[in-house]
């Protein structure tokens, strides 16, 4: 405890007067005067969870709080407490946040629209940028959408209060205005916006804009805002300091570490000054924890509770009687508000036409009590479309009626949105294939929900594909999708580890699909595609494979379904792809022929760290001659002990059983996890055009490491199979 001499004298005088008044025979209506206590909460990421323990102890000991001031996580916890929530309710809300997901800045895969799911499966990786006015990157790793939903739920009943002094406990929080370079104290306006602003850590969370202001985390200039608590009117300020471990001089720092430590040093200067200003200081010893230890919330909260208990001698002086405590709670609860039933929905932050379409989609919210779960789903649906960085909600009044206002914030750097691709296929050590590229998506081209999506790949493969996706109406599940593309791809054929030949397949195709979307989970398509195809050898030549060129065309039916929980390393859910093509003409075949292929995967989560999966796939040309074989096994994904295209066939089936075990979590700005993989495979091929058909079912087993980075998955593995097959391989790019 630190109590300055002059302030101690004032405090003792106040307590003496209170004791004297208690000892006198006064009428019952004359009550003792208690000093107004201002609770000041420091920022510190996960360390700020200790504040929950402090307020828990204070409530258990009937210590009323007249004002709350906080910064960063202190502002988040303090703001929740100021709305009248009990410490237990604050703890429940905080524990309900998936901090790994929130800090990663990635929209949960389940919340993405189906087309955005396709993007993340086809172009794995967490990076994206825009071409709006030139090359632009996001202003932070994280838009804070996950935290926004919690803040909106807490602040919704208080959307239209004139001042934060009208909250059950008067509240203020500090942010940094990056435009003026000065601290900004939020005392009114949107409560959710204020709490979101105070914890916008630069470089991690995207700064929050308001007019000509750009707000970031307040810890840089006033991380322990004792001055704010005094300005609010507190007679006594109780500051909660989060004591972290000093930096080890022998620690090797990355560029991120240098930046973080530099900011921490700058913040520490203003914290020391605030500690000197505080009337009472409670220090929570958190040297064993870091600002990212959200998964250790219970231990951190307990340390806060214990720190408050260690100051019981001083803090108990502010304790009130049971009757006074009940009166305090009654007054506090009387200022709590409930959310009115909305009479309309209004969307802001986008064009009038788009806002009108979105309001129509959410018209079911009108006339119904606001359900946070439903609102969360609707906001994530908006964000999951890919155009908007955040979607928040609050109450608003128009023409004397209360309604829901949806604030959709468009990505400042897009559209178009670019998802980059780096793909390295090390299935063959002596012939590694490398490609780079990206998917460029223009949103709302021509109408709401219509989009132009273009893929560009350069390297071992040269590809340019474009598709215009157009729903029949702004709310329809039916769509049409004209498309065009050119592709030039290597086709290497191996026997064992020996390269027999290398071909180049070139195609120019156009097509038109019509289809139906099944919400976020899948779609069905029917259409026709046609164009020109050429197959020519570059190294070697195999008589069994034709060298041809000519027109090609086929009718196509395609169905996709995905309920996976992650696009890169799924741990639960289903993925299905099936198609049938009826070729009317093809330069490789003597006549028309059909081709069908089906692939299904099912993932099962056994524990928080362990999953298994089963996969079954098969294809057939139904005995028709196709020229070039329709299917290929071998490589880094199917029958991995065999070399690329070592098993070419017109009919096959393959079964896989896999094991996934998470070994290590990565910092959110580097990726997600390091995993151990295990795989058993059993398959069968028919009528191989090259070499003898294996007399028995090809089998193999593989094991390796899979690291999910922000650039995409990196896999290093080894496999052993029958017929003398065995090899090591690596892959950067899509794995499952």
């Amino acid at each position: 405890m630190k109590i300055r001499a002059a302030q101690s004298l004032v405090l003792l005088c106040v307590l003496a007067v209170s004791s004297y008044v208690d000892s006198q025979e006064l009428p019952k209506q004359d009550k003792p005067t208690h000093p107004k206590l201002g609770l000041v909460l420091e920022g510190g990421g996960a360390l700020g969870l200790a504040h929950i323990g402090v307020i828990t102890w204070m409530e258990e000991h009937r210590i009323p709080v007249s004002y709350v001031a906080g910064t960063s996580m202190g502002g988040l916890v303090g703001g929740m407490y100021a709305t009248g929530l009990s410490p237990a309710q604050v703890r429940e809300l905080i524990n309900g946040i998936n901090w790994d997901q929130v800090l990663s800045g990635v929209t949960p895969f389940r919340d993405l629209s189906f087309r955005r799911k396709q993007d993340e499966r086809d172009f794995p990786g967490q990076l994206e940028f825009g071409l709006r006015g030139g090359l632009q990157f996001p202003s932070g790793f994280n838009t804070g959408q996950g935290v926004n939903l919690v803040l909106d739920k807490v602040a919704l009943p208080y959307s239209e209060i004139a001042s934060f002094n009208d909250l059950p406990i008067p509240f203020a929080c500090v942010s940094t205005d990056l435009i003026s370079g000065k601290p900004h104290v939020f005392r009114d306006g949107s409560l959710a916006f204020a709490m979101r602003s105070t914890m916008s850590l630069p470089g991690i969370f995207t700064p929050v804009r308001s007019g000509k202001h750009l707000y970031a985390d307040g810890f840089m200039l006033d991380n322990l805002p004792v001055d704010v608590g005094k300005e609010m009117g507190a007679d006594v300020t109780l500051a909660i300091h989060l004591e972290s471990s000093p930096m080890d001089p022998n620690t090797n720092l990355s560029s991120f570490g240098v930046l973080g430590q530099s900011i921490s040093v700058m913040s520490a200067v203003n914290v020391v000054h605030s500690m000197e200003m505080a009337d009472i200081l409670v220090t929570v010893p958190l040297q064993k924890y870091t600002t990212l230890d959200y998964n250790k919330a219970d231990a951190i909260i307990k340390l806060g509770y214990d720190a408050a208990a260690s100051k019981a001698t001083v803090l108990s002086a502010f304790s009130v009687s049971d009757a006074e405590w009940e009166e305090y709670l009654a007054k506090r609860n009387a200022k709590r508000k409930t959310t009115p039933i909305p009479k309309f929905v209004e969307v802001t932050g986008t064009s009038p036409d788009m806002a009108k379409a979105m309001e129509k989609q959410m018209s079911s919210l009108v006339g119904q009590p606001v359900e946070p779960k439903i609102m969360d789903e609707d906001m994530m649906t908006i964000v999951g479309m890919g155009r908007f960085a955040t979607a928040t909600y609050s109450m608003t009044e128009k023409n004397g009626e209360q309604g829901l206002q949806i604030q959709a914030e468009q990505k400042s750097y897009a559209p178009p949105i670019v998802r980059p691709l780096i793909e390295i296929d090390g299935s063959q050590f002596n012939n590694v294939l490398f490609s780079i590229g990206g998917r460029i998506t223009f949103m709302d081209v021509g109408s709401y929900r219509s989009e132009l999506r273009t893929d560009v790949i350069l390297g071992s493969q040269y590809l340019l594909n474009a598709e215009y996706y157009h729903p029949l109406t702004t709310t329809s599940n039916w769509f049409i999708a004209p498309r065009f593309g050119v592709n030039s791809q290597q086709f290497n054929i191996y026997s064992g580890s020996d390269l027999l030949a290398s071909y180049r397949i070139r195609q120019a195709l156009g097509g038109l699909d019509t289809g139906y979307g099944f919400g976020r989970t899948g779609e069905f398509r029917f259409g026709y595609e046609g164009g020109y195809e050429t197959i020519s050898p570059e190294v070697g030549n195999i008589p069994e494979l034709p060298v041809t060129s000519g027109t090609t065309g086929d009718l196509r039916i395609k169905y996709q379904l995905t309920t996976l929980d992650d696009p890169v390393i799924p741990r639960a859910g289903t993925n299905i792809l099936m198609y049938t093509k009826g070729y009317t003409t093809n330069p490789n075949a003597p006549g028309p022929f059909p081709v069908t292929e089906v692939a299904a995967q099912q993932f099962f989560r056994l524990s928080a760290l362990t999953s298994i999966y089963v996969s079954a796939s098969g294809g057939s040309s139904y005995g028709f001659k196709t020229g070039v074989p329709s299917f290929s096994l071998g490589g880094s994904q199917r029958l991995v002990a065999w070399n690329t295209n070592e098993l070419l066939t017109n009919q096959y089936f393959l079964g896989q059983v896999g094991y996934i075990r998470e070994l290590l979590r990565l910092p959110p700005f580097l990726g997600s996890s390091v995993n151990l993989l295990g795989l058993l495979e059993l398959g069968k091929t028919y009528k191989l055009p090259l070499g003898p058909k294996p007399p028995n079912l090809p089998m193999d087993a593989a094991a390796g490491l899979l690291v999910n980075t922000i650039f995409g998955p990196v896999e290093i593995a080894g496999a052993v199979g029958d017929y003398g097959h065995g090899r090591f391989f690596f892959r950067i790019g899509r794995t499952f």
Side-chain angles (χ1 to χ4, degrees):
M1 179 188 69
K2 177 176 179 59
I3 306 179
R4 299 175 65 185
Q7 293 165 333
S8 300
L9 181 59
V10 173
L11 178 59
L12 291 174
C13 289
V14 171
L15 295 176
V17 170
S18 298
S19 300
Y20 173 76
V21 172
D22 284 341
S23 67
Q24 305 303 305
E25 294 293 333
L26 296 176
K28 290 184 178 180
Q29 64 269 23
D30 293 336
K31 297 180 180 179
T33 301
H34 296 286
K36 294 180 179 179
L37 184 65
L39 181 62
V40 182
L41 306 179
E42 184 180 0
L47 305 182
L49 300 175
H51 297 315
I52 301 174
V54 173
I55 60 176
T56 299
W57 188 92
M58 292 176 66
E59 293 241 330
E60 288 178 358
H61 292 79
R62 305 185 308 280
I63 299 175
V65 173
S66 299
Y67 305 98
V68 178
T71 298
S72 196
M73 182 57 76
L76 179 65
V77 173
M80 291 181 175
Y81 183 49
T83 63
L85 297 177
S86 68
Q89 290 171 319
V90 174
R91 183 171 187 165
E92 181 181 359
L93 281 171
I94 294 293
N95 285 341
I97 300 174
N98 184 338
W99 288 103
D100 285 338
Q101 183 71 62
V102 166
L103 294 173
S104 73
V106 176
T107 302
F109 191 62
R110 67 178 182 275
D111 293 322
L112 296 176
S113 67
F114 180 70
R115 289 182 67 80
R116 301 292 79 80
K117 287 180 178 179
Q118 288 179 315
D119 294 345
E120 295 208 0
R121 291 278 287 170
D122 296 341
F123 290 75
Q126 299 175 13
L127 296 179
E128 73 171 32
F129 56 90
L131 299 175
R132 187 176 183 178
L135 181 64
Q136 294 191 43
F137 291 89
S139 53
F141 284 108
N142 196 324
T143 64
Q145 178 64 24
V147 175
N148 284 344
L149 297 180
V150 177
L151 301 182
D152 287 346
K153 177 167 59 177
V154 171
L156 186 63
Y158 306 96
S159 297
E160 297 184 279
I161 57 174
S163 166
F164 294 169
N165 287 334
D166 297 332
L167 290 169
I169 304 175
F171 171 70
C173 62
V174 181
S175 186
T176 299
D177 188 341
L178 297 179
I179 303 300
S180 68
K182 298 178 180 179
H184 178 84
V185 181
F186 284 95
R187 293 188 173 92
D188 54 27
S190 166
L191 177 61
F193 182 90
M195 290 192 288
R196 171 69 179 84
S197 299
T198 191
M199 60 174 297
S200 297
L201 187 66
I204 303 299
F205 288 104
T206 304
V208 182
R209 292 184 180 273
S210 177
K212 296 182 180 180
H213 300 280
L214 188 63
Y215 298 114
D217 200 305
F219 90 103
M220 294 182 288
L221 299 180
D222 196 359
N223 201 32
L224 186 62
V226 174
D227 55 334
V228 176
K230 291 181 178 294
E231 292 170 3
M232 295 175 74
D235 296 323
V236 177
T237 52
L238 169 58
I240 312 303
H241 171 52
L242 309 172
E243 187 175 44
S244 57
S245 59
M247 179 181 174
D248 185 345
N250 297 318
T251 299
N252 293 320
L253 289 178
S254 64
S255 57
F256 281 106
V258 171
L259 175 61
Q261 187 61 26
S262 299
I263 296 176
S264 297
V265 169
M266 180 175 63
S267 172
V269 174
N270 68 68
V271 168
V272 170
H273 177 64
S274 295
M275 292 166 62
E276 293 173 347
M277 292 175 58
D279 297 312
I280 303 175
L281 184 68
V282 172
T283 298
V284 186
L286 295 164
Q287 292 86 346
K288 295 182 179 179
Y289 302 93
T290 72
T291 56
L292 296 178
D293 281 338
Y294 290 96
N295 60 337
K296 300 175 182 177
D298 290 341
I300 293 174
I301 291 172
K302 184 178 185 303
L303 285 173
Y305 185 94
D306 294 342
S310 70
K311 305 297 181 181
T313 303
V314 176
L315 296 181
S316 294
F318 299 94
S319 180
V320 298
S321 66
D322 288 338
E324 289 173 309
W325 179 249
E326 291 301 322
E327 182 180 355
Y328 165 77
L329 291 180
K331 289 181 178 179
R332 193 172 76 181
N333 291 334
K335 297 176 71 176
R336 297 190 67 176
K337 295 182 179 294
T338 57
T339 305
I341 294 177
K343 302 298 183 183
F344 62 89
V345 173
E346 178 184 62
V347 176
T348 64
T350 187
S351 67
D353 290 342
M354 192 182 302
K356 184 177 180 180
M358 295 170 68
E359 289 166 3
K360 183 177 180 181
Q361 282 186 310
M362 291 183 285
S363 59
S364 61
L365 300 174
V366 175
Q368 302 293 328
V370 178
E371 293 290 342
K373 184 177 180 180
I374 294 175
M375 293 305 303
D376 289 355
E377 292 175 354
D378 286 342
M379 296 305 100
M380 294 310 297
T381 296
I382 293 174
V383 173
M385 292 190 297
R387 183 184 186 95
F388 301 100
T390 61
T392 59
Y393 61 94
S394 59
M395 297 301 298
T396 188
E397 184 176 331
K398 187 166 63 175
N399 299 326
E401 292 186 333
Q402 293 287 325
L404 271 172
Q405 184 179 75
I406 310 301
Q407 299 91 30
E409 180 185 347
Q410 295 188 181
K411 293 178 177 178
S412 60
Y413 55 91
I417 297 171
V418 181
R419 291 190 63 89
L421 172 72
I422 300 175
E423 189 165 33
I424 301 176
D425 187 348
S427 300
Q428 312 299 141
F429 281 145
N430 58 350
N431 190 14
V432 176
L433 304 180
F434 172 80
S435 296
I436 61 171
R439 172 165 286 176
I440 307 169
T441 305
F442 290 84
M443 302 285 190
D444 305 306
V445 178
S447 64
Y448 176 58
R449 293 177 59 217
S450 297
E451 60 185 51
L452 177 63
R453 193 166 71 179
T454 303
D455 296 346
V456 180
I457 296 177
L458 303 173
S460 301
Q461 179 184 14
Y462 296 93
L463 177 143
L464 175 63
N465 275 344
E467 177 185 79
Y468 179 63
Y469 175 88
H470 178 70
L472 299 186
T473 68
T474 57
T475 58
S476 174
N477 290 328
W478 290 97
F479 64 88
I480 58 172
R483 52 195 168 85
F484 172 79
V486 292
N487 183 26
S488 175
Q489 186 172 0
Q490 276 189 345
F491 189 76
N492 298 327
I493 302 171
Y494 289 85
S495 176
S497 59
D498 298 326
L499 177 66
L500 297 181
S502 178
Y503 285 74
R504 174 69 61 173
I505 299 177
R506 298 176 177 88
Q507 294 176 318
L509 299 174
L512 175 65
D513 289 342
T514 183
Y516 185 87
F518 299 96
R520 300 175 180 173
T521 58
E523 70 173 24
F524 171 83
R525 290 183 174 223
F526 172 78
Y528 180 83
E529 62 183 0
Y532 198 83
E533 179 179 291
T534 299
I535 300 178
S536 58
E538 293 185 329
V539 177
N541 192 356
I542 299 176
E544 292 86 349
L545 294 183
V547 177
T548 59
S549 63
T551 59
T552 182
D554 64 85
L555 289 168
R556 183 182 72 162
I557 295 174
K558 183 179 181 181
Y559 173 72
Q560 287 181 277
L561 169 73
T562 181
T563 62
L564 301 177
D565 61 346
D566 189 89
V568 179
I569 307 178
R571 310 299 297 276
T574 303
N575 190 65
I576 297 174
L577 171 63
M578 56 189 300
Y579 68 85
T580 293
K581 293 183 177 182
Y583 282 89
T584 56
T585 181
N586 187 275
N588 306 311
F593 64 92
V595 172
T596 296
E597 188 171 26
V598 179
Q601 297 171 312
Q602 181 67 52
F603 292 79
F604 303 91
R605 184 181 289 276
L606 302 182
S607 68
L609 300 178
T610 305
S611 297
I612 61 171
Y613 68 93
V614 294
S615 174
S617 60
S620 176
S621 64
Y622 304 99
F624 284 81
K625 294 182 179 180
T626 65
V628 175
S630 299
F631 311 107
S632 169
L633 302 181
S636 59
Q637 292 181 300
R638 303 195 299 182
L639 285 179
V640 295
W642 271 255
N643 292 283
T644 303
N645 296 329
E646 190 173 354
L647 298 172
L648 295 172
T649 181
N650 274 337
Q651 186 165 303
Y652 81 97
F653 71 78
L654 176 67
Q656 297 175 316
V657 178
Y659 172 85
I660 307 172
R661 171 74 180 186
E662 182 180 302
L663 303 178
L664 177 68
R665 297 296 298 177
L666 295 176
F669 49 82
L670 294 180
S672 64
S673 58
V674 178
N675 301 270
L676 173 67
L677 294 184
L679 177 67
L680 293 174
E681 297 183 287
L682 173 67
K684 185 172 179 59
T685 57
Y686 300 81
K687 299 180 180 179
L688 296 178
L690 303 175
K693 182 177 69 173
N696 299 309
L697 299 180
M699 297 179 61
D700 64 26
L705 293 176
L706 179 59
V707 184
N708 188 15
T709 75
I710 61 172
F711 304 103
V714 178
E715 180 184 13
I716 302 174
V720 177
D722 51 13
Y723 308 108
H725 285 81
R727 64 199 185 94
F728 288 96
F729 60 91
F730 67 93
R731 183 179 182 86
I732 298 176
R734 182 176 174 181
T735 304
F736 292 101

